[in-house]
Amino acid sequence: MSEESRTAVVIPAAGRGVRLGPGAPKALRALNGTPMLIHAVRAMAASRAVSLVVVVAPPEGAAEVKSLLADHALPDRTDFVVVPGGETRQESVKLGLDALPDGIGVVLVHDAARPLVPVDTVDGVIEAVREGAPAVVPALPLTDTVKQVEPGEPGAPEPVVATPERSRLRAVQTPQGFDRDTLVRAHATVTDNVTDDASMVEQLGLQVVVVPGHEEAFKVTRPLDLVLAEAVLARRRANDGF
């Protein structure tokens, strides 16, 4: 892939975010007074390699998301497009892919609920795709021991089936990066409902590689995560003066 090949980011933000409780869709929840989605968009646009960010909005909220993007200062060098999403995350990513213009060779898919990804992580993913990997995921080693269980009723004891070797496991983050043609083919051929796009590429029989993630690229899904995110932003302001 040529160095000139442009990079776009698709941010599926059409979900409701039920685990954070009632109220606005998760992506529109305020974090330090700014919607989480705006933080996520800025995190992607911070990379000089990113020339386009496509936000996939709730179908009934596309106009609201467009005005949100217009109201917040975003880098001039990056273009922003909002498209209505689908019923599932997978549908929404495909709708985002369909909106990409010609000339985009690298596509990142990023969770709107990961608002604090450092730019070095974004650049590292892009670089690995440009160097020839069809799919790249940032990930961290696990700190907890993991047990495989036989699922039971909620709250009931569950029998342990196995203890996977922790050193071989990684907790996957986003942005996940792809050769555009590979991701388009994956969405055209894989019909299973999957939790991440890289697993679709795995189902094509192609190699997915892992690059180092970052502890600040965590996903905001529970109220406690909001507290942690606010603390990270406060520390950044203190260190960087913004």
Side-chain angles (χ1 to χ4, degrees):
M1 194 178 306
S2 69
E3 279 298 308
E4 294 72 41
S5 181
R6 291 162 62 224
T7 297
V9 182
V10 174
I11 302 182
R16 298 289 324 166
V18 289
R19 277 174 292 183
L20 274 176
K26 179 164 61 177
L28 305 185
R29 296 292 179 92
L31 181 56
N32 194 36
T34 301
M36 199 154 31
L37 174 62
I38 297 297
H39 287 284
V41 168
R42 285 177 175 158
M44 297 300 101
S47 169
R48 295 190 169 277
V50 171
S51 56
L52 171 67
V53 176
V54 177
V55 177
V56 187
E60 70 290 351
E64 181 187 357
V65 170
K66 272 182 188 165
S67 62
L68 258 188
L69 291 179
D71 289 348
H72 290 84
L74 298 168
D76 289 338
R77 67 171 182 270
T78 311
D79 292 328
F80 301 92
V81 175
V82 178
V83 298
E87 285 296 308
T88 65
R89 183 185 186 281
Q90 205 165 329
E91 276 180 52
S92 292
V93 172
K94 185 172 188 313
L95 288 164
L97 283 175
D98 291 345
L100 297 180
D102 294 338
I104 299 289
V106 179
V107 180
L108 305 187
V109 181
H110 183 57
D111 295 333
R114 296 183 192 270
L116 304 175
V117 180
V119 69
D120 288 354
T121 303
V122 183
D123 287 339
V125 170
I126 295 168
E127 189 178 338
V129 179
R130 284 185 167 168
E131 286 175 356
V136 178
V137 296
L140 293 176
L142 296 181
T143 54
D144 296 326
T145 296
V146 172
K147 299 287 185 188
Q148 185 180 343
V149 301
E150 193 61 56
E153 293 296 318
E158 298 172 319
V160 169
V161 175
T163 304
E165 189 182 330
R166 191 172 69 185
S167 64
R168 298 175 67 90
L169 300 176
R170 299 290 180 268
V172 171
Q173 303 176 322
T174 72
Q176 298 187 354
F178 304 90
D179 165 70
R180 178 188 182 167
D181 292 341
T182 300
L183 186 58
V184 168
R185 184 156 64 94
H187 274 271
T189 55
V190 177
T191 53
D192 304 348
N193 197 17
V194 294
T195 54
D196 79 335
D197 296 87
S199 57
M200 299 175 75
V201 174
E202 287 173 54
Q203 288 186 43
L204 295 181
L206 297 174
Q207 178 77 73
V208 176
V209 301
V210 166
V211 296
H214 196 282
E215 60 183 7
E216 291 180 5
F218 63 90
K219 192 173 189 179
V220 177
T221 54
R222 303 158 302 170
L224 183 61
D225 300 324
L226 281 171
V227 176
L228 181 57
E230 294 273 10
V232 171
L233 283 172
R235 192 190 68 210
R236 286 184 184 179
R237 281 198 310 277
N239 290 347
D240 303 339
F242 74 86

